[in-house]
Amino acid sequence: MTKIGVLGSGAVGKVLADGFLKHGYDVMVGSREPGKLAGWQAAAGGRASIGTFADAARFGDVVVLAVKGAAAEEAVRLIGPDTLSGKTVMDATNPIADAPPVNGVLRLFTAHDESLMERLQRLAPAGRFVKAFSSVGNALMVNPQLAGGPPTMFICGNDAAAKAEVQAILDQFGWGTEDMGGVEAARAIEPLCVLWCIPGFRQNRWRHAFKLLE
Ligand SMILES: NC(=O)c1ccc[n+]([C@@H]2O[C@H](COP(=O)([O-])OP(=O)(O)OC[C@H]3O[C@@H](n4cnc5c(N)ncnc54)[C@H](OP(=O)(O)O)[C@@H]3O)[C@@H](O)[C@H]2O)c1
């Protein structure tokens, strides 16, 4: 069975790690301070382990990137970009700036014609990056139960085999998948987090997800 290395000790890292454990995978969660994950590991059971970002990146056949967007490039530098070579990297990060939302609208630190994932792909050219899980809140990432049925996860990336691997994971996690093409499509997918958050900030509505209808 595929081993999963999760880089990120926040809500997203833990929710996705728990989701992978639920679906029978071995999971290592990485942090700059792995000790703070001891409680999570104890509760998560024997298939769960903890380590540094580099330990988790080495452990995973599939690596989940779930660090603060502004720190994502730093985290890839920290593990050594070569560590990701040949690995499928599910990139859940968003380039959210450290500034308060304006009337519910978050600010990004990227321009409209670039994306965080393109920066990461340039940093680690042999990593097989796939944008995934970036356009929904963490509470709905694993097998969401919504009145409108299974929602759509928009993915993109340059490696077809890596995208097929991510699509198989999304099938297990209860999502429909729409492949938007190469890494540049992250310029459109990442800002969906801004749209997703507006009903939350304005009306305290946080239980929704996108669905592509035809
Ligand atoms: N929250 C959501 O519902 C949601 C939904 C979709 C996408 N996302 C995206 O998913 C990512 C994770 O979000 P989150 O809410 O779980 O937590 P977060 O607070 O954005 O990120 C926490 C992680 O970032 C790491 N980090 C922070 N500063 C760092 C630095 N200077 N250098 C290296 N690592 C650093 C932390 O490392 P340590 O472990 O060492 O503390 C921790 O693992 C973000 O990019 C976010 O935009 C979030």
Side-chain angles (χ1 to χ4, degrees), residues 95-97 107-119 122 184 186-191:
I96 297 173
R107 294 171 199 232
L108 303 183
F109 60 75
T110 45
H112 291 299
D113 58 356
E114 64 161 343
S115 62
L116 180 53
M117 196 167 85
E118 287 170 276
R119 293 189 190 180
R122 275 196 296 273
E184 298 79 11
R187 299 174 195 180
I189 296 174
E190 288 171 358

Side-chain angles (χ1 to χ4, degrees), residues 6-16 29-34 36-37 53 65-76 78 91-96 116 131-141 193 196-197:
V6 177
L7 312 190
S9 64
V12 175
K14 285 183 186 154
V15 159
L16 289 177
V29 178
S31 167
R32 290 168 299 174
E33 301 167 61
K36 71 181 176 187
L37 288 160
F53 285 144
L65 187 59
V67 297
K68 185 178 176 188
E73 291 167 274
E74 182 55 30
V76 169
L78 209 60
D91 173 23
T93 64
N94 280 314
I96 297 173
L116 180 53
K131 200 89 216 169
F133 290 111
S134 62
S135 57
V136 70
N138 65 82
L140 291 165
M141 287 180 176
C193 75
W196 187 89
C197 284

Side-chain angles (χ1 to χ4, degrees), residues 174-204:
W175 287 85
T177 301
E178 285 290 341
D179 179 359
M180 294 288 123
V183 66
E184 298 79 11
R187 299 174 195 180
I189 296 174
E190 288 171 358
L192 289 177
C193 75
V194 179
L195 187 62
W196 187 89
C197 284
I198 291 174
F201 288 126
R202 287 172 57 85
Q203 299 158 320
N204 202 26

